[in-house]
Amino acid sequence: MEDEKNVTLHGMWISTYAKKVELALKIKGIAYEYVEEDLSNKSSLLLKFNPIHKKVPVLLHHGKPVSESLVILEYIDETWKNEPRFLPEDPYERARVRFWATYCLQISDTMKKAFISAQEVEEGAFDEFFEKLKVMEEGMRDFFPGGRSNICTENLGLLDIIIVGSLGTFKAAEEVLETKLVDPQRNPFVYSWVNTLLELPLVKETLPPHDKVVSRLEFIKQNGFMFQSNI
């Protein structure tokens, strides 16, 4: 396809937001060029293409930049209409997916903030995260009344992509913090859903290596970096 040329993704290897877009491009079978950014020394191209937020991901399509991961995911689905479609055709169902996608992104941000503060506020640092995860657990049970066990690359949707980016590296965070974040007893639906997704070959090749993530999180924990929403 002609549109599969002239596609460039500016990302960072540990950015959960960029990984969502990278996974979406692979699911759709879109050929693209990848540009690794150093967010401590942002390139002139990144600042040019995303002058407002100055962060990854940025998708270039025929030289036109699109920023913000959720916006990019919808752009991809609307531009490349081959299966699988990330959003349903029905307007109400699309609205429901968008609502939970936004909520899941909030969970991701809450977990990252809690991770940064956990070293100083051990007790209760993850209370808000656990509460949001509980709401997500109940909401997804209603959203997928038949469960979400028949997952494959050919039927991945927007919520699958968002949950991979938001919780795909939770095991590394658990290892660093030596605490359970996504509990199979407390969050059986989300736990099973995430782990099923993590077993897909395409997801495995897209997410960064576990040991590399652990090393970076250890570094962040020890140095007490301020929370950065684009990571």
Side-chain angles (χ1 to χ4, degrees):
M1 293 173 60
E2 179 62 27
D3 276 342
E4 292 185 350
K5 301 173 184 177
N6 302 311
V7 177
T8 302
L9 172 63
H10 288 253
M12 181 185 179
W13 71 269
I14 200 172
S15 168
T16 59
Y17 295 93
K19 287 300 175 183
K20 295 179 183 77
V21 177
E22 193 173 343
L23 179 59
L25 291 169
K26 290 179 178 180
I27 292 169
K28 287 283 192 177
I30 302 167
Y32 65 96
E33 178 186 356
Y34 178 78
V35 177
E36 176 73 9
E37 291 284 352
D38 178 0
L39 297 184
S40 64
N41 183 25
K42 299 175 183 180
S43 72
S44 58
L45 286 178
L46 178 61
L47 298 177
K48 172 185 176 182
F49 296 138
N50 192 0
I52 297 175
H53 297 298
K54 302 178 178 62
K55 62 183 183 180
V56 296
V58 174
L59 183 78
L60 287 179
H61 185 209
H62 292 302
K64 297 178 180 178
V66 185
S67 58
E68 295 298 296
S69 60
L70 192 54
V71 175
I72 297 173
L73 293 177
E74 292 202 38
Y75 176 84
I76 290 171
D77 199 39
E78 292 169 358
T79 304
W80 290 273
K81 299 183 183 297
N82 57 298
E83 296 294 330
R85 297 305 304 272
F86 299 154
L87 285 155
E89 291 295 329
D90 180 75
Y92 178 70
E93 293 303 321
R94 288 170 72 89
R96 291 181 69 208
V97 169
R98 287 187 176 114
F99 172 85
W100 284 112
T102 301
Y103 189 83
C104 190
L105 288 175
Q106 293 173 5
I107 290 177
S108 176
D109 286 347
T110 301
M111 182 173 72
K112 292 169 189 173
K113 290 176 182 177
F115 180 89
I116 297 300
S117 65
Q119 58 186 5
E120 297 178 355
V121 192
E122 296 292 345
E123 191 67 32
F126 282 88
D127 285 355
E128 183 182 358
F129 168 74
F130 291 140
E131 183 58 35
K132 286 184 179 295
L133 201 59
K134 178 183 177 183
V135 173
M136 188 76 180
E137 173 80 17
E138 295 170 353
M140 290 301 93
R141 284 177 179 274
D142 292 336
F143 194 89
F144 296 114
R148 197 72 182 96
S149 58
N150 62 333
I151 300 174
C152 63
T153 304
E154 289 72 27
N155 66 8
L156 294 179
L158 185 68
L159 289 179
D160 297 307
I161 297 169
I162 295 292
I163 202 76
V164 165
S166 298
L167 296 176
T169 57
F170 80 92
K171 293 179 182 178
E174 289 182 340
E175 183 175 329
V176 172
L177 294 172
E178 299 181 343
T179 189
K180 203 71 177 173
L181 298 179
V182 185
D183 192 291
Q185 303 300 320
R186 189 169 51 214
N187 317 110
F189 186 98
V190 172
Y191 182 85
S192 174
W193 182 21
V194 173
N195 279 285
T196 301
L197 287 165
L198 293 179
E199 288 302 312
L200 295 178
L202 197 63
V203 173
K204 285 184 177 181
E205 82 171 44
T206 302
L207 292 179
H210 175 82
D211 291 345
K212 190 176 180 181
V213 176
V214 168
S215 178
R216 174 55 67 93
L217 293 182
E218 287 280 11
F219 180 82
I220 292 173
K221 181 183 176 184
Q222 292 168 10
N223 289 272
F225 279 177
M226 293 185 65
F227 170 72
Q228 296 182 10
S229 61
N230 52 348
I231 300 296

